[in-house]
């Protein structure tokens, strides 16, 4: 293997990992606050691609408008899921909300199959994503350039929201100590709603870019990326946003490298993600950046 | 009292045995198939409930464990000539290509299926159950996906996506119902013992349970391993009922169905899971009718595949939101409860009448006062 | 009040008789940090067998954290805990309880969905000898163990006056009885040292009076050493022989009830709390 293929694959890994990171952030934020695995998160990722598909591909809206609307719709869906399915169970045993989450996820997947059809649909591609650039003799297709760039911009915006705005401060406060934050007069439910909206918007952006890369969408497409993204959140340290980004990158790079350099194992690339999950739970359960969870007794 | 309940239980088992013996050659194949399916669901659901309902840990793994069990039985029981025929893409690996168990060792193959599934449970359980938090859910879910990936890719063992066909149909009513009875008794005895009490304590409050000397990991692992064992057995039964196994048979939908069964029956209730497993098997058949395309007179209604799963997921969500205790709550149906039932019904009507009478008299007095 | 004092005096006498030099618990320079917060700072305490010591201090002083370190819920950032001469620092809670330290929780943590009797029986489980397979197949040994366990549980409930509620769901008991059941559940582990975290919280004066008597009774009956966190000064002054005061994780005083009542620093700490509360 020569260096340039390696670098090429590394970039591919980073590009894919960035998308995992975008999904993982939604998982990690919700888990940090509610200790809930939002199983429906991967399905919101899927729905967003269908929103974009219909808005741009069928109703012929311009790309910028179609994407914006799709992301907003996904945020709305995420918020509504919380409002309808999770909020009534805040004081119920933890397992109740988890079961409901599985139910919602399954509803979205099967609803998708019935309403949208089980057959994969071809996702349109904006011109800029299909354009071929020549860079120092090598030719690169637009998606490989623009997806990582956009991911980076979105992550920067997210960090700004979380660390530099009032609502971001409220989110962080709620995730460290919900009771105290409530006593300080913060409207917890609003913060949680916002968290769901933000996480879903990120997953939506991730989903649409995913569809640029792999332009076939189907109602079950969110399951595996969703699960890998959660694994990324665990690897990075559950509850930690920067950790989720790191974890996403690691998973993305490992996956690409296995396909690229151990092609006879490429059928098992998902199994490697599982092995990573098990290894981390065994040897570094707090992940890269997570703090040990000490339940207050 | 205890003596009486024991006799009644014995009588019930004898009654079940007699009906099975009567039914196995007389009922039509369609009904037999529903009954067999119901019994297999009982094995899988009651054992699943041990983890999710009794111990309060959230596993999404039964489909994976059933897959392990199903493939194990298929590999052990598939006759040699059939093996040669099925594995035309890639030859079956040693040692499975050189032997096949005779029918009288079917029971042994079920036990081995359970043990293979238990081994899988240790792979997932050891890393997850030592930790606080919901890692079990995500790891078991991943394990299910991975088992399917492996089944699709390890063609020289599982024959890939095509699956294994022509497994002998050994899952007759005596086998399925027998396994269901054994599972229910096994898990009932476990739950009613000191070990079961420790598991329930973990469900109620992990911190307190640990502070009272319960080794959390050991008891969660015990529940998880026992549960996986029976899930493996049920997978083996399923394989020899429908005579084929393939990765798609053991998709997450299987776990989802079991989840509905244990939630509807009441998380933690063995009798609940048993009853709802039967209801579910029947309901599934009825809804299959709904999904099928049909022509009523001049009107043609196209079948909507997937409708069933929509109904089931909405049902699950509504159950969790509005009827979380399920049919049986955490409790069990018991003989005492059953015998008390007529009395309680009578009492209920009695009270109803008295209340009526009372409110009627009160109105009478009030009007009198005025 | 006078009667209570006499009682205290008497039990000090018995404690002396038991063995005044025998040290059961020794906490050495324990520090517990949570991120930047030092919840407990260089805390040392030793208790003699049979003693009844009170641990008091304003809200957030670190009292419960001391308990959590002793019982293994938290591993201290620094320092060690010796029990009966053994270093138990960092052992998991389920091991520590089998060594002979049992506790109650500040916010009652019963197994709400289980019956009162089952709550107590859970505590016997760690000593069971038959395996889970023996339990499933109901071997003679297992049935005998279950029977003995049940008998002990009922006896214990009778002694703490909860026998008539044995088959009630624990979550349905009134608050005072929940607290009592929590103590019974701790007693079922056969502890030598009992840690009580604000047992009188939320009780009315009558219940509190009964509780004080109850604590002294069980201490005599089961030859217990007791460490007690309590905000109700009536309880602390009434039954403790020695009192330690924590403020912001630091020990600021130790002494007999009378000494503590007149200690300037203690009064200051509590006054400070009042000021904080009204600020
Ligand atoms: N697991 C934990 N994580 C972070 N901070 C903690 C944890 N446990 C306790 N603390 C902090 O340590 C400090 C001491 O708490 P602790 O519960 O020991 O106080 P306390 O003296 O028992 O107070 P109270 O009288 O209110 O019960 C508090 O500031 C508390 O917020
Ligand atoms: Mg406290």
């Amino acid at each position: 293997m020569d260096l340039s293929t390696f670098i090429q694959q590394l970039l591919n890994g980073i590009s894919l990992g960035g998308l995992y990171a975008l999904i993982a952030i939604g998982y990690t934020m919700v888990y940090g606050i509610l200790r809930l695995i939002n199983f429906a998160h991967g399905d919101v990722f899927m729905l967003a691609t269908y929103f974009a598909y219909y808005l741009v591909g069928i109703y012929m809206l311009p790309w910028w408008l179609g994407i914006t609307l799709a992301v907003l719709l996904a945020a709305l869906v995420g918020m509504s899921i919380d409002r309808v399915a999770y909020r009534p169970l805040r004081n119920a045993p933890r397992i109740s909300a988890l079961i409901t989450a599985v139910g919602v996820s399954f509803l979205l997947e099967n609803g998708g199959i019935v309403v949208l059809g089980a057959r994969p649909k071809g996702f349109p591609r904006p011109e800029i994503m299909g354009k071929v650039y020549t860079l120092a003799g090598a030719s690169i297709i637009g998606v490989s350039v623009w997806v990582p760039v956009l991911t980076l911009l979105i992550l920067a915006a997210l960090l700004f929201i979380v660390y530099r705005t009032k609502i971001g401060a409220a989110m962080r406060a709620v995730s460290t100590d919900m009771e105290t934050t409530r006593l300080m007069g913060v409207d917890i439910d609003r913060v949680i709603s916002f968290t769901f909206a933000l996480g879903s918007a990120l997953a939506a952006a991730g989903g649409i870019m995913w569809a640029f890369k792999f332009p076939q969408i189907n109602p079950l497409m969110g399951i595996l990326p969703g699960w890998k993204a959660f694994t990324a959140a665990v690897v990075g340290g559950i509850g930690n946003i920067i950790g989720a980004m790191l974890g996403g990158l690691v998973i993305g790079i490992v996956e690409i490298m296995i396909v690229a350099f151990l092609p006879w194992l490429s059928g098992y690339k998902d199994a490697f993600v599982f092995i990573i999950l098990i290894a981390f739970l065994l040897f570094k359960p707090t992940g890269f950046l997570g703090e040990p969870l000490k339940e207050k007794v | 009292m205890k003596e009486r309940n024991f006799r009644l239980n014995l009588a019930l088992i004898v009654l079940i045995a007699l009906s099975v013996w009567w039914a196995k050659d007389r009922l039509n194949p369609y009904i037999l198939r529903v009954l067999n399916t119901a019994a297999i669901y009982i094995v899988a659901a009651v054992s699943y409930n041990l983890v999710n309902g009794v111990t309060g840990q959230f596993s999404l793994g039964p489909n994976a464990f059933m897959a392990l069990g199903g493939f194990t039985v298929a590999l052990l029981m598939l006759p040699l000539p059939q093996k040669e025929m099925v594995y035309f893409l890639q030859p079956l690996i040693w040692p499975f290509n050189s032997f096949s168990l005779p029918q009288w060792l079917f029971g042994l193959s079920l036990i081995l299926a359970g043990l293979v599934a238990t081994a899988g449970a240790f792979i997932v359980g050891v890393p997850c159950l030592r930790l606080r938090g919901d890692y079990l859910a995500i790891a078991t879910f991943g394990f299910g996906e991975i088992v399917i990936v492996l089944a699709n890719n390890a063609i020289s063992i599982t024959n890939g996506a095509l699956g294994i066909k022509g497994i002998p149909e050994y899952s007759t009513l005596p086998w399925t119902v027998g396994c269901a009875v054994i599972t229910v008794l096994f898990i009932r005895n476990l739950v009613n013992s000191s070990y079961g009490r420790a598991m329930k304590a973990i469900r109620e409050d992990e911190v307190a349970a640990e502070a009272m000397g319960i080794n959390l990991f050991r008891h969660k692992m015990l529940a998880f391993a026992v549960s996986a064992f029976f899930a493996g057995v049920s997978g083996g039964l399923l394989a020899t009922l429908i005579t084929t196994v393939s990765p798609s048979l053991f998709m997450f939908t299987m776990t989802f169905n079991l989840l509905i069964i244990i939630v509807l029956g009441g998380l933690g209730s063995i009798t609940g899971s048993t009853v709802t497993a039967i209801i579910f098997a029947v309901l599934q058949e009825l809804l299959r009718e709904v999904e099928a395309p049909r022509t009523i007179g001049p009107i043609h209604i196209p079948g909507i595949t997937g409708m069933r799963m929509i109904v089931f997921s909405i049902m699950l969500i509504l159950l969790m939101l509005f009827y979380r205790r399920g049919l049986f709550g955490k409790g069990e149906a018991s003989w005492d409860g059953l015998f008390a039932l007529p009395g309680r019904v009578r009492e209920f009507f009695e009270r109803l009448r008295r209340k009526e009478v009372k409110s009627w008299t009160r109105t009478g007095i009030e009007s009198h006062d005025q | 009040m006078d009667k209570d004092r006499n009682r205290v005096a008497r039990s000090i006498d018995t404690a002396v008789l038991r063995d005044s030099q025998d040290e059961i618990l020794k906490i050495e320079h324990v520090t517990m940090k949570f991120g930047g917060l030092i919840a407990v700072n260089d805390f040392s305490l030793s208790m003699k067998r049979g003693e009844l010591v009170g641990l008091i201090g304003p809200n957030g002083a670190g009292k419960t954290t001391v308990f959590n370190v002793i019982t293994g819920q938290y591993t201290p950032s620094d320092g060690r805990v010796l029990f009966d001469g053994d270093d138990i620092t960092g052992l998991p809670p389920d091991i520590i309880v089998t060594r002979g330290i049992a506790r109650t929780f500040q916010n009652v943590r019963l197994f709400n969905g289980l019956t009162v009797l089952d709550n107590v029986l859970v505590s016997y489980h760690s000593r069971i000898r038959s395996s889970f397979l023996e339990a499933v197949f109901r071997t003679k040994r297992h049935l005998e163990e279950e029977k003995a366990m049940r008998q002990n549980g009922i006896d214990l409930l009778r002694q703490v006056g909860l026998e008539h509620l044995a088959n009630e769901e624990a979550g349905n008991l009134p608050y005072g009885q929940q607290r009592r059941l929590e103590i019974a559940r701790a007693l079922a582990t056969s502890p030598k040292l009992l840690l009580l975290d604000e047992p009188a919280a939320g009780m009315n004066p009558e219940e509190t009076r009964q509780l004080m008597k109850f604590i002294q009774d069980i201490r005599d009956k089961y030859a217990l050493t007791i460490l007690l966190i309590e905000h109700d000064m009536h309880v602390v002054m009434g039954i403790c022989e020695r009192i330690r005061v924590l403020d912001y994780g630091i020990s600021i005083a130790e002494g007999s009830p009378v000494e503590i009542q007149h200690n300037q620093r203690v009064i200051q700490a509590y006054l400070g709390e009042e000021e904080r509360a009204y600020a």
Side-chain angles (χ1 to χ4, degrees):
Chain A
M1 154 219 1
D2 60 83
L3 192 66
S4 81
T5 19
F6 179 79
I7 290 179
Q8 177 63 45
Q9 297 301 351
L10 189 65
L11 287 176
N12 283 344
I14 291 173
S15 167
L16 180 65
L19 298 185
Y20 287 140
L22 286 177
I23 317 174
I25 288 165
Y27 277 120
T28 225
M29 290 193 306
V30 167
Y31 195 90
I33 292 178
L34 295 176
R35 300 276 177 276
L36 169 73
I37 300 173
N38 178 14
F39 281 98
H41 192 59
D43 305 305
V44 172
F45 162 95
M46 172 274 291
L47 274 184
T49 65
Y50 274 93
F51 291 148
Y53 170 82
Y54 279 102
L55 289 170
V56 177
I58 308 288
Y59 298 116
M60 297 307 202
L61 293 186
W63 271 107
W64 65 270
L65 184 60
I67 291 182
T68 313
L69 283 178
V71 168
L72 287 177
L73 278 173
L76 197 68
V77 169
M79 254 167 73
S80 318
I81 292 174
D82 168 57
R83 185 70 192 78
V84 174
Y86 303 154
R87 195 188 289 180
L89 295 170
R90 293 276 148 79
N91 296 318
R94 274 249 297 277
I95 197 167
S96 312
L98 281 171
I99 292 175
T100 315
V102 172
V104 173
S105 161
F106 219 62
L107 177 62
L108 293 180
E109 285 158 20
N110 288 287
I113 287 177
V114 170
V115 177
L116 307 168
R119 214 168 314 136
K121 292 191 190 317
F123 195 77
R125 199 181 241 180
E127 224 174 278
I128 185 172
M129 292 290 170
K131 207 163 153 186
V132 179
Y133 298 85
T134 9
L135 231 161
S139 50
I140 307 175
I141 189 161
V143 266
S144 305
V145 179
W146 295 116
V147 166
V149 170
L150 283 172
T151 307
L152 221 62
L153 288 177
I154 294 170
L155 291 178
L158 170 86
L159 290 179
F160 178 81
I161 292 176
V162 173
Y163 289 98
R164 287 284 180 275
T165 64
K166 223 172 129 191
I167 185 84
M171 282 166 60
R172 281 178 292 133
V174 172
S175 77
T176 357
D177 190 340
M178 187 178 306
E179 275 322 300
T180 312
T181 315
R182 193 196 305 278
L183 291 177
M184 281 169 9
V186 175
D187 182 348
I188 304 281
D189 282 328
R190 258 196 54 210
V191 177
I192 294 174
S193 280
F194 182 78
T195 308
F196 272 91
L198 187 59
S200 305
L202 292 178
I208 292 166
M209 288 195 279
W210 183 280
F212 289 156
K213 270 173 104 70
F214 313 104
Q216 289 260 314
I217 60 174
N218 74 73
L220 303 183
M221 66 181 278
I223 300 177
L224 266 183
W227 174 72
K228 286 182 196 165
F230 193 90
T231 300
V234 173
V235 166
I238 191 88
N240 187 309
I241 291 175
I242 312 257
M245 296 181 186
L246 275 178
L249 286 182
V250 168
I251 301 277
I253 290 171
V254 167
E255 195 175 322
I256 292 289
M257 290 295 171
I258 283 171
V259 177
F261 298 113
L262 308 167
W264 65 93
L265 287 177
S266 62
Y268 298 96
K269 66 184 194 319
D270 302 329
F272 279 91
V273 179
F274 181 73
I275 292 172
I276 294 177
L277 174 66
I278 294 295
F280 264 84
L281 291 180
L282 272 177
F283 302 111
K284 187 119 181 59
T286 54
F288 289 133
L289 300 179
E291 281 165 28
L293 259 177
K294 272 200 188 114
E295 191 178 349
K296 255 192 198 179
V297 178
Chain B
M1 213 50 150
K2 255 185 152 169
E3 189 68 9
R4 183 203 69 185
N5 288 347
F6 179 73
R7 285 210 196 116
L8 283 169
N9 284 337
L10 213 62
L12 182 65
I13 291 173
V14 170
L15 185 71
I16 292 174
L18 286 175
S19 352
V20 165
W21 178 72
W22 176 85
K24 72 180 167 51
D25 303 318
R26 282 183 181 75
L27 295 180
N28 76 45
Y30 180 71
I31 302 221
L32 276 178
R33 195 182 165 105
V34 175
L35 288 178
N36 277 316
T37 313
I40 292 173
Y41 272 139
I42 291 178
V43 176
V46 168
S47 57
Y48 188 28
N49 206 349
L50 181 67
V51 177
N52 284 30
V54 176
T55 319
Q57 306 303 303
F58 193 44
S59 156
L60 290 172
N63 62 320
F65 301 129
M66 288 175 78
L68 292 178
F71 276 103
T72 305
V73 168
L75 285 171
L76 292 174
M77 302 308 292
L78 196 69
L80 276 180
Q82 187 68 23
K83 280 183 178 171
E84 257 165 47
M85 230 154 58
V86 165
Y87 289 83
F88 62 85
L89 290 174
Q90 276 179 31
L92 181 58
I93 55 157
W94 188 87
F96 300 110
N97 61 1
S98 56
F99 79 94
S100 145
L101 293 184
Q103 179 166 11
W104 63 274
L105 285 178
F106 178 48
L108 177 72
S109 82
L110 287 180
I111 292 175
L112 289 173
L115 292 178
V116 170
T118 310
F122 275 94
I123 294 177
V124 189
V126 169
C128 299
L129 295 173
R130 291 178 316 142
L131 308 170
R132 292 253 162 86
D134 305 302
Y135 297 112
L136 188 67
I138 209 70
T140 46
F141 181 80
F143 188 61
E145 297 294 316
I146 294 322
V147 165
I148 289 171
V149 166
L150 293 182
N152 272 319
N153 282 282
I155 296 174
S156 57
I157 304 174
T158 61
N159 203 33
L162 294 177
I164 302 172
K165 295 187 176 56
I167 307 165
E169 200 175 345
Y170 293 148
S171 278
T172 52
L173 208 53
W175 274 106
T176 56
V177 174
C179 285
V181 169
I182 292 173
T183 309
V184 169
L185 286 179
F186 191 104
I187 291 187
R188 180 195 78 139
N189 285 1
L190 181 61
V191 169
N192 288 343
S193 76
S194 186
Y195 286 89
R197 213 178 287 122
M199 290 169 187
K200 288 187 230 165
I202 292 173
R203 171 190 70 201
E204 297 289 320
D205 190 329
E206 284 197 12
V207 171
E210 194 179 26
M212 296 308 130
I214 306 296
N215 182 323
L216 298 180
F217 170 67
R218 201 179 296 162
H219 289 86
K220 290 180 193 172
M221 195 63 234
L222 174 63
F224 193 50
V226 167
S227 169
F229 178 88
F230 286 107
V233 171
S234 73
L237 288 171
L238 195 62
T240 46
L241 176 70
I242 58 183
T243 70
T244 64
V245 288
S246 66
S248 62
L249 176 63
F250 300 107
M251 303 258 271
F252 185 70
T253 309
M254 182 64 82
T255 291
F256 191 82
N257 291 344
L258 296 172
L259 196 57
I260 292 202
I261 293 175
I262 64 173
V263 167
L264 180 61
L267 283 172
S269 169
I270 298 169
T271 23
S273 296
T274 310
V275 171
T276 45
I278 299 170
I279 295 177
F280 187 85
V282 174
L283 201 65
Q284 208 180 19
E285 283 306 317
L286 294 180
L287 286 175
R288 203 190 293 279
E289 296 285 305
V290 175
E291 264 187 9
R294 64 177 59 208
T295 318
I296 308 171
I299 311 160
H300 179 77
I301 305 167
I304 308 177
T305 40
M307 214 51 205
R308 256 190 316 170
M309 291 335 287
I310 294 189
V311 171
F312 286 145
S313 23
I314 292 178
M315 203 168 101
L316 183 68
I317 298 169
L318 291 180
L319 275 173
M320 287 325 288
L321 289 178
F322 301 111
Y323 193 55
R324 225 178 308 145
R325 68 181 294 281
L327 292 175
F328 289 77
K330 286 175 203 156
E332 300 293 344
S334 66
W335 293 113
D336 298 340
L338 193 63
F339 288 131
L341 203 58
R344 277 191 16 214
V345 171
R346 211 176 309 129
E347 195 187 323
F348 175 75
F349 281 111
E350 199 73 18
R351 243 192 334 217
L352 213 64
R353 197 160 51 221
R354 252 191 320 225
K355 217 171 178 180
E356 248 181 54
V357 171
K358 220 186 247 119
S359 61
W360 177 76
T361 14
R362 203 190 301 127
T363 347
I365 293 169
E366 272 164 11
S367 56
H368 189 84
D369 277 348
Q370 284 169 353
Chain C
M1 201 62 205
D2 239 336
K3 230 170 152 188
D4 283 346
R5 286 248 173 75
N6 280 338
R7 254 194 111 84
V8 172
R10 245 201 342 265
S11 33
I12 291 174
D13 283 346
T14 41
V16 170
L17 278 180
R18 256 180 234 137
D19 184 352
S20 60
Q21 293 315 306
D22 191 3
E23 210 168 50
I24 186 165
L25 178 75
K26 195 163 161 65
I27 303 174
E28 293 176 345
H29 307 290
V30 159
T31 297
M32 184 76 222
K33 294 182 195 158
F34 297 109
L37 175 83
I38 304 181
V40 173
N41 196 349
D42 195 17
F43 180 87
S44 298
L45 174 75
S46 75
M47 288 180 71
K48 300 195 178 77
R49 217 171 280 278
E51 252 191 323
L52 204 171
V53 176
L55 184 59
I56 66 171
N59 287 113
K63 307 177 295 290
T64 301
T65 304
V66 169
F67 272 25
N68 286 333
V69 167
I70 298 175
T71 58
Q73 253 85 29
Y74 300 158
T75 304
S77 322
D78 205 0
R80 43 182 216 152
V81 181
L82 302 173
F83 180 69
D84 256 351
D86 298 330
D87 188 345
I88 59 166
T89 326
L91 291 180
D94 55 312
I95 300 295
I96 289 182
V97 68
T98 57
R99 297 284 182 93
I101 304 181
R103 71 174 296 177
T104 64
F105 295 91
Q106 181 168 353
N107 328 303
V108 181
R109 299 188 83 138
L110 289 171
F111 307 124
N112 283 329
L114 304 192
T115 65
V116 167
L117 179 58
D118 278 349
N119 263 271
V120 171
L121 295 185
V122 168
S123 299
Y124 295 125
H125 179 68
S126 62
R127 270 168 283 155
I128 198 167
R129 309 227 344 266
S130 44
S131 71
F132 88 95
L133 281 176
E134 288 179 79
V136 168
F137 294 107
R138 308 208 158 176
T139 59
K140 192 152 163 269
R141 174 161 83 154
H142 181 79
L143 290 179
E144 275 166 8
E145 271 189 325
E146 284 270 0
K147 202 171 148 198
M149 199 188 260
R150 199 161 283 272
Q151 194 53 54
N152 288 341
I154 288 173
D155 287 346
L156 178 65
L157 287 182
R158 184 179 310 124
Q159 283 165 23
V160 301
L162 290 172
E163 193 196 9
H164 60 294
L165 298 170
N167 294 319
E168 291 291 320
E169 239 180 58
N172 294 341
L173 296 189
Y175 187 71
Q177 293 190 317
Q178 291 200 357
R179 286 242 172 239
R180 189 171 277 245
L181 175 58
E182 224 198 358
I183 297 178
R185 186 180 69 176
L187 288 177
T189 66
S190 308
K192 297 178 215 161
L193 172 65
L194 182 61
L195 310 179
L196 300 175
D197 198 344
E198 301 195 20
M203 288 189 171
N204 62 36
E206 173 55 23
E207 285 174 323
T208 306
R209 214 184 47 75
Q210 284 177 10
L211 178 81
M212 287 165 70
K213 185 173 170 320
F214 179 62
I215 292 175
Q216 286 171 322
D217 283 350
I218 57 171
R219 175 243 195 130
D220 291 342
K221 197 178 295 173
Y222 300 102
L224 292 173
T225 310
I226 295 179
L227 182 58
L228 173 82
I229 297 176
E230 189 48 71
H231 278 300
D232 186 332
M233 282 309 138
H234 188 67
V235 176
V236 181
M237 298 301 163
I239 60 176
C240 295
E241 295 144 9
R242 183 155 65 95
I243 295 170
R244 167 67 67 88
V245 189
L246 268 184
D247 190 23
Y248 289 115
I250 298 171
S251 295
I252 56 167
E254 179 175 316
S256 68
V258 184
E259 284 164 6
I260 292 300
Q261 266 167 327
H262 296 98
N263 184 305
Q264 257 341 96
R265 283 190 72 181
V266 177
I267 295 168
Q268 211 90 77
Y270 273 90
L271 280 180
E273 190 192 30
E274 307 248 294
E275 272 161 20
R276 278 203 297 274
Y278 291 112

